[in-house]
Amino acid sequence: MRGFSSSFPHGGAGAGLLLLRLAVALQLLTETLCAEAAPWWSAMLPAAVAWLPLALAIALAVALVLGVLTPVAGAVGALWQLFCLGQSDWAHAPPCIVGVLTATALVLLGPGAYALDARLFGRRRLVLPASPADHNRF
């Protein structure tokens, strides 16, 4: 994960990244659960697996909110929004474009300190013994 994001900022920047993750997750869910138009997958998938895209969108939203594999979830969310953009009419295009842009920004910025990624892949503290004789105590 270090290749995706070099640091996990905290404070105001970390709170801003938390809000950005929440916004991307909400955009993903609102475009997926849009009540005004029929879902794009209803014509493409058989009825037996029609729940699969909705489950994927909910899993992506949960991963974004918790901050688990945020760059991967953001990239998949951006691709999802691009596909929705290709399937929608011009009335639904602006929310899809905003979704693509915010998900891409999240991929480029990283998850921030208030994410599970920071706990899993963040910096570690290495405690060295004070003297060579003490190294067997640990």
Side-chain angles (χ1 to χ4, degrees):
M1 281 308 270
R2 290 239 168 118
F4 287 116
S5 100
S6 60
S7 67
F8 299 97
H10 60 280
L17 288 170
L18 173 65
L19 291 175
L20 183 62
R21 288 195 335 257
L22 291 173
V24 171
L26 285 174
Q27 286 173 337
L28 183 67
L29 286 178
T30 56
E31 281 303 307
T32 302
L33 301 174
C34 184
E36 297 168 0
W40 52 265
W41 65 81
S42 62
M44 298 175 68
L45 295 175
V49 292
W51 56 271
L52 196 60
L54 181 62
L56 175 66
I58 290 172
L60 282 174
V62 169
L64 287 169
V65 168
L66 295 178
V68 179
L69 297 175
T70 306
V72 175
V76 172
L79 291 174
W80 180 277
Q81 293 285 349
L82 273 175
F83 191 74
C84 287
L85 179 63
Q87 299 294 324
S88 66
D89 55 355
W90 283 106
H92 292 95
C96 291
I97 293 170
V98 171
V100 169
L101 293 176
T102 54
T104 305
L106 185 62
V107 169
L108 294 174
L109 291 173
Y114 308 115
L116 288 178
D117 283 345
R119 297 283 182 206
L120 296 172
F121 306 110
R123 295 185 180 196
R124 305 280 193 260
R125 178 180 291 174
L126 180 63
V127 179
L128 298 174
S131 68
D134 291 338
H135 93 339
N136 289 332
R137 277 188 10 200
F138 299 105

